[in-house]
Amino acid sequence: QVRLVESGGGSVQVGGSLTLSCAASGFTFSSHCMAWFRRTPGNQREEVAYISATGVTTINTASLRGRFTISRDNAKATAQLRLNFARPEDTAVYYCAAGGKYGGWCPIRTDEFDYWGQGTQVTVSS
């Protein structure tokens, strides 16, 4: 059974830092792109960061770039998302996702991801 389990969510003050982890099992983690998305209180799903199977990272949203860092440990089958300089608008449920298309490169659409975690809440207090 495929599992993606996020952890590390919680409350953080504005300007603070938080690290989220995603533990994967039930599929070949090392051949999958891993990504983090978030769903805001307004129920909008936003992309946060992508990392290919070989560790190529992408953050398309300029306001997130430099504040979020995505990483992976293929040996441990985990992906991490580090948030620095947290802002209130970072408040959301954060989801990790795995995509096996494109030989480990990341899908271009969210619906192309194969597996999704249940999410972990991050609340940034002002």
Side-chain angles (χ1 to χ4, degrees):
Q1 53 187 326
V2 172
R3 296 185 69 190
L4 291 175
V5 182
E6 301 95 338
S7 62
S11 297
V12 61
Q13 293 184 342
V14 170
S17 299
L18 196 69
T19 299
L20 307 180
S21 296
C22 176
S25 60
F27 66 98
T28 307
F29 178 86
S30 61
S31 68
H32 281 66
C33 163
M34 297 298 297
W36 288 89
F37 298 85
R38 67 188 187 185
R39 189 169 295 279
T40 68
N43 207 37
Q44 292 184 277
R45 185 167 64 185
E46 303 173 343
E47 61 180 19
V48 180
Y50 303 85
I51 184 166
S52 77
T54 57
V56 179
T57 63
T58 302
I59 299 177
N60 291 315
T61 304
S63 62
L64 306 185
R65 205 174 301 136
R67 299 192 303 111
F68 285 88
T69 302
I70 187 170
S71 60
R72 67 189 297 152
D73 186 334
N74 285 344
K76 296 181 179 179
T78 59
Q80 298 80 41
L81 182 72
R82 176 71 173 177
L83 167 61
N84 292 320
F85 310 107
R87 302 173 180 175
E89 55 263 40
D90 295 323
T91 295
V93 177
Y94 285 73
Y95 300 86
C96 68
K101 298 180 69 174
Y102 312 116
W105 295 99
C106 294
I108 59 175
R109 300 199 313 267
T110 58
D111 60 7
E112 293 182 308
F113 280 84
D114 299 311
Y115 313 118
W116 292 81
Q118 292 296 108
T120 185
Q121 175 72 47
V122 172
T123 301
V124 182
S125 59
S126 59

